[in-house]
Structures are given as C-alpha cells and as structure tokens.
Amino acid sequence: MTVTIDQVGPDVTALTRKLMTDDVDRDINPGDTFVELGLDSLKLVDLLAAAESHFDIEVPDEEVGNFTTVQDLVDFVVANRPTV
C-alpha cells in the first residue's frame, strides 16, 4: 500500500515541530522553509534522522541539501517509503 501526501504531511509537521525552538505554536505549511521554522543545518540533520526512523526510509547523504521546505521532505518520503 502506497502512502499519500495527506498521510505523510501531518507526521512530517509533528517531527518538525518537535525540533522547533521559536514560535512552536505557529502554523506549519508545506511551503514553509526549515530556516523560516527556525531549524538550522544541524536540526535539519536531526529531522532527517527522525524521518528515516519514523518512515523506515534512508536519506542518502547527497540528498540532504535538497530539503528546503516541508513539502520537499513530504515528497521525498512519499516517493521513497517502502510499500506495505
């Protein structure tokens, strides 16, 4: 069974919110950049590690720099999550 953006989006938002230190109650939208959400490069690496564990995926090192927005991560998870 494949996963959809609607299934992955809320989980990515929750993982992102856990790493935010400023304005943690703000709305998180798919187009928001991780920088806008207060995540520096180290927190982004933490987020990707959490996503790997949560979604049972692997983010290749060369892909790390490609994640700018919440939607980028959602799209990657949808495209790379193993089917059940």
Side-chain angles (χ1 to χ4, degrees):
M1 180 169 108
T2 58
V3 295
T4 66
I5 289 173
D6 290 337
Q7 294 167 315
V8 172
D11 288 351
V12 168
T13 297
L15 292 171
T16 302
R17 190 173 306 284
K18 286 181 184 178
L19 293 170
M20 292 170 60
T21 54
D22 298 327
D23 199 13
V24 296
D25 294 325
R26 72 165 278 179
D27 287 339
I28 297 176
N29 299 301
D32 289 339
T33 68
F34 293 114
V35 171
E36 291 171 340
L37 297 172
L39 275 64
D40 60 17
S41 59
L42 294 176
K43 285 190 178 181
L44 179 57
V45 170
D46 289 343
L47 173 62
L48 296 178
E52 286 180 324
S53 176
H54 184 81
F55 294 109
D56 193 27
I57 59 169
E58 184 174 334
V59 178
D61 291 341
E62 61 271 9
E63 291 284 330
V64 171
N66 295 334
F67 298 100
T68 304
T69 67
V70 174
Q71 189 66 52
D72 293 338
L73 181 52
V74 170
D75 291 342
F76 183 86
V77 171
V78 169
N80 291 282
R81 177 141 187 220
T83 56
V84 181

